[in-house]
């Protein structure tokens, strides 16, 4: 397989240089961050607006969660094309095109006239956002080299630090004091700046015009398989739950398409959207399992926590955003240190610690009540952030350090698909659980039975809300227990991650180890 154009953006000597990041790589990293920040920020901004969107559009949680899930599924759908697109057109062109598409989707979302149009436009936005992170990661990974993987991943992780801190606060302020449409319009000036910086600093890459053609059969199997799986999961909020014939049919259809893609990928090998042979590398397979559950833990919490503050405690969007910020501050505290530890000692020594911390920070929410002190929940969120900061990027860094240079762009794309899929599963699953818990405890609530109760919570008088608060808190607590269990499962793959630093690898092998 010919060398990816992502590799050609690396400055001379990057692969075998010193462990410190040079100025050129740092500047390039900040330029990439300016684009990826939009996509990450947008997800966290929208989370605090769900209650307002459900009220304004007159729909329940089982429908309104598709504003997030549709966006994430679109991101996951387009990510498999990133490796091919970078090979074909070069990282610079793919990067700038992604920014334009994301900004277009943002403008359309801000102009949406009903919930259906908003979901469709969020999909357009996700198609642009889906290529931003993996393209940026491919460019920076090849620029930094294996010895500095942890440090460069810490730069890539900056949007994941700032998003959970700034997103809920900015989104809450816009929803409460301006208009919810501005949670999308705010991306227009940010996107213009990101485009200008990319034009200025991202190196030119002509692309490999002899690259294999796009995997059309894989495109017709894998993304629809993801969509059927998540849609089937979301339908379980209706009567009958997961035992409904329609739900089983959707899930079975999704599993069948994904299985057919796996067989197709084994035959097409590196020319497939995702080369499943990557999973023959134990470190990569272990890290992939871990980031899937990290996606569930991260995005599931970003759905539940703002809703708890708004629905069960009666807080406004801005207050909910401010109360959510400690999680991002915790991640900002831990992630730089986690990058250094990963480089020196290996992800296997930091990620298990992060998972234990993450579980400890989730316990107060699993036992939450109608009057749980905010200082306790804020402290728990900070602890959760510490755990997330020690988990996500070290795991992704470990997955890439053992792979060949030629497959790094496609491998990073695969990891980002798995993160988005985990986030989609987490959002849909926990929305289903919460909808059913509220409906079971408050069957007389407006729109009950399918998550519609949640949309009614923003419309009931405060006096009635206070009477329902214990039942609402109990419903959220039960849902957080589910999230806690899904988080605890992370410890299994984490214990299998390598316990040696990236400094042990002087160079990236030229070929993947799976032959």
């Amino acid at each position: 397989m010919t060398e990816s154009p992502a590799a050609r953006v690396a400055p001379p000597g990057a692969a075998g240089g010193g462990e410190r990041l040079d100025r050129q790589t740092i500047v390039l990293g900040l330029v990439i961050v300016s684009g990826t920040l939009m996509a990450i920020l947008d997800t966290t901004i929208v989370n605090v607006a769900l209650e307002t969107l459900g009220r304004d559009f007159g729909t329940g949680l089982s429908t309104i969660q598709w504003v997030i899930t549709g966006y994430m599924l679109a991101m996951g759908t387009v990510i498999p094309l990133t490796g091919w697109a970078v090979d074909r057109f070069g990282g610079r062109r793919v990067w700038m095109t992604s920014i334009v598409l994301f900004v277009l989707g943002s403008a359309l979302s801000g102009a949406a006239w009903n919930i259906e149009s908003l979901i469709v436009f969020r999909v357009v936005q996700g198609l642009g956002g889906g290529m931003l992170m993996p393209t940026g990661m491919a460019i920076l990974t090849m620029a930094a080299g294996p010895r500095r993987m942890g440090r460069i991943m810490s730069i890539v992780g900056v949007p994941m630090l700032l998003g959970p801190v700034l997103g809920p606060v900015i989104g809450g302020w816009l929803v409460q004091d301006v208009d919810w449409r501005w949670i999308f319009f705010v991306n227009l000036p940010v996107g213009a700046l990101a485009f200008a910086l990319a034009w200025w600093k991202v190196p030119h890459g002509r692309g490999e015009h002899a690259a294999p053609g796009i995997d059309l059969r894989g495109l017709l199997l894998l993304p629809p398989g993801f969509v059927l799986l998540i849609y089937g999961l979301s339908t379980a909020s209706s009567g009958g739950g997961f035992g409904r014939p329609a739900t089983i049919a959707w899930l079975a259809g999704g599993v069948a398409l994904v299985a057919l893609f796996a067989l197709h990928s084994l035959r097409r090998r590196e020319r497939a959207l995702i080369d499943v042979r990557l999973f023959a590398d134990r470190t990569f397979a272990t890290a992939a399992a871990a980031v899937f559950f990290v996606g569930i833990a991260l995005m599931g919490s970003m759905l539940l926590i703002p809703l708890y503050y708004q629905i069960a405690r009666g807080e406004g969007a801005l207050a909910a955003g401010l109360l959510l910020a400690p999680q991002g501050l915790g991640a900002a505290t831990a992630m730089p240190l986690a990058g250094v530890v990963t480089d020196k000692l290996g992800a296997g020594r930091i990620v298990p610690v992060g998972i234990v911390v993450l579980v400890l920070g989730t316990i107060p929410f699993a036992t939450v009540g109608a009057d749980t002190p905010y200082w306790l929940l804020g402290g728990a969120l900070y602890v959760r952030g510490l755990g997330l900061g020690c988990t996500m990027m070290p795991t992704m860094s470990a997955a890439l350090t053992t792979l060949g240079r030629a497959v790094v762009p496609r491998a990073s794309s695969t990891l980002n698909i798995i993160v988005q899929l985990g986030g989609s599963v987490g959002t849909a699953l926990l929305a289903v659980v919460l909808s059913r818990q509220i409906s079971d405890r408050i069957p007389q609530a407006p729109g009950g039975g399918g998550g519609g109760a949640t949309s009614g919570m923003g419309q009931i008088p405060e006096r009635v809300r206070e009477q329902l608060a214990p039942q609402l808190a109990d419903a959220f607590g039960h849902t957080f227990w589910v999230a806690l269990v899904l988080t605890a499962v992370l410890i299994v793959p984490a214990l299998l991650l390598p316990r040696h630093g990236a400094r042990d690898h002087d160079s990236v092998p030229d070929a993947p180890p799976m032959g």
Side-chain angles (χ1 to χ4, degrees):
M1 184 176 178
T2 56
E3 184 181 50
S4 167
R8 291 197 289 273
V9 305
E19 294 186 8
R20 294 174 61 88
L21 293 176
D22 56 272
R23 180 178 179 276
Q24 182 179 353
T25 303
I26 292 174
V27 171
L28 179 62
L30 294 176
V31 171
I32 297 299
V33 162
S34 70
T36 56
L37 179 61
M38 288 191 305
I40 302 296
L41 197 67
D42 195 76
T43 301
T44 55
I45 281 179
V46 173
N47 278 307
V48 297
L50 289 183
E51 193 263 351
T52 298
L53 292 173
R55 183 174 65 247
D56 286 0
F57 287 126
T59 189
L61 180 58
S62 59
T63 299
I64 207 67
Q65 61 94 13
W66 277 97
V67 174
I68 296 176
T69 304
Y71 174 79
M72 298 187 71
L73 279 176
M75 292 179 76
T77 296
V78 77
I79 284 172
L81 303 179
T82 306
W84 169 84
V86 170
D87 284 345
R88 181 67 173 81
F89 301 107
R92 175 185 168 94
R93 292 181 183 177
V94 175
W95 177 254
M96 298 178 71
T97 301
S98 301
I99 292 175
V100 171
L101 189 57
F102 183 87
V103 170
L104 175 62
S106 298
L108 292 173
S109 295
W113 53 90
N114 57 28
I115 187 59
E116 292 80 12
S117 65
L118 177 58
I119 292 172
V120 170
F121 295 147
R122 282 281 285 171
V123 168
V124 174
Q125 192 183 30
L127 293 176
M131 288 193 289
L132 285 173
M133 180 63 82
T135 302
M137 283 183 65
I139 293 171
L140 288 179
T141 296
M142 303 314 298
R147 294 167 62 99
R148 305 180 295 178
M149 190 73 75
R151 287 169 173 78
I152 202 66
M153 286 301 172
S154 293
I155 291 181
V156 175
V158 167
M160 296 183 184
L161 300 179
L162 297 180
V165 178
L166 300 179
V169 177
I170 296 173
W173 171 68
L174 291 173
V175 170
Q176 184 169 306
D177 296 333
V178 187
D179 186 272
W180 65 260
R181 297 181 185 277
W182 278 93
I183 63 178
F184 302 112
F185 290 150
V186 74
N187 289 321
L188 274 60
V190 177
L193 175 62
F195 187 90
L197 289 174
W199 185 277
W200 176 42
K201 279 296 182 182
V202 175
H204 287 273
R206 293 169 53 192
E208 178 56 68
H209 294 279
I214 191 170
D215 181 14
L216 290 177
R217 183 174 298 177
L219 190 62
L220 294 175
L221 289 174
L222 188 61
F226 287 167
V227 171
L228 292 184
L229 283 171
I230 304 302
Y231 182 75
L233 192 61
S234 70
T235 62
S237 63
S238 304
F242 289 98
R244 294 178 65 230
T247 297
I248 295 174
W250 289 116
L251 293 174
V255 169
L257 289 179
V258 173
L260 288 173
F261 172 80
L263 295 175
H264 163 73
S265 178
L266 287 173
R267 290 194 298 267
R268 192 173 172 90
R269 301 166 73 85
E270 68 274 1
R271 294 177 297 152
L273 286 179
I274 294 178
D275 186 357
V276 297
R277 295 177 304 148
L278 289 171
F279 295 94
D281 183 284
R282 196 190 80 164
T283 299
F284 183 85
T286 299
V291 298
F292 177 81
F293 285 100
V294 170
I296 291 178
L298 176 61
M299 295 311 302
S301 68
M302 296 302 291
L303 170 79
L304 291 179
I305 296 171
L307 287 177
Y308 165 75
Y309 284 129
Q310 291 175 282
I311 296 174
R313 304 298 289 265
E315 300 290 349
L318 177 57
L322 289 169
L323 289 166
L324 189 59
Q327 179 168 277
L329 293 175
T333 303
M335 193 173 287
L337 176 62
V340 175
V341 173
T342 300
D343 281 348
K344 293 184 176 180
L345 302 177
R349 298 186 185 275
I350 186 68
V351 174
V353 175
I355 293 166
V356 171
V357 172
L358 185 56
V359 169
L360 290 175
T362 307
I363 291 176
F365 285 93
T367 59
V368 76
D371 55 358
T372 302
Y374 283 168
W375 65 263
L376 174 61
L377 297 180
L381 278 174
Y382 184 80
V383 172
R384 275 183 55 86
L386 292 175
L388 287 169
C390 293
T391 303
M392 172 72 87
M393 300 315 291
T395 302
M396 299 186 78
S397 173
L400 298 178
T401 53
T402 61
L403 296 177
R405 175 181 296 273
V407 300
V408 164
R410 291 183 183 272
S412 62
S413 297
T414 300
L415 286 175
N416 278 278
I417 294 169
I418 294 170
V419 170
Q420 299 303 325
L421 182 59
S424 299
V425 170
T427 300
L429 177 61
L430 295 179
V432 167
V433 174
L434 179 60
S435 294
R436 293 185 66 83
Q437 290 296 316
I438 291 179
S439 296
D440 289 345
R441 287 167 173 76
I442 316 174
Q444 74 277 16
T454 304
S455 68
M457 293 300 105
Q459 301 170 351
I460 60 178
E462 184 62 27
R463 182 177 55 198
V464 179
R465 185 197 301 275
E466 292 176 358
Q467 296 174 351
L468 297 176
Q471 296 97 307
L472 289 170
D474 191 39
F476 276 95
H478 182 94
T479 308
F480 275 114
W481 272 115
V482 176
L484 188 148
V485 171
L486 293 172
T487 301
V489 171
L490 263 168
I491 197 66
V492 176
L495 292 174
L496 301 176
L497 291 174
R499 293 172 178 262
H500 52 75
R503 62 183 179 180
D504 296 336
H505 301 276
D506 291 331
S507 62
V508 178
D510 291 328
M514 65 286 301

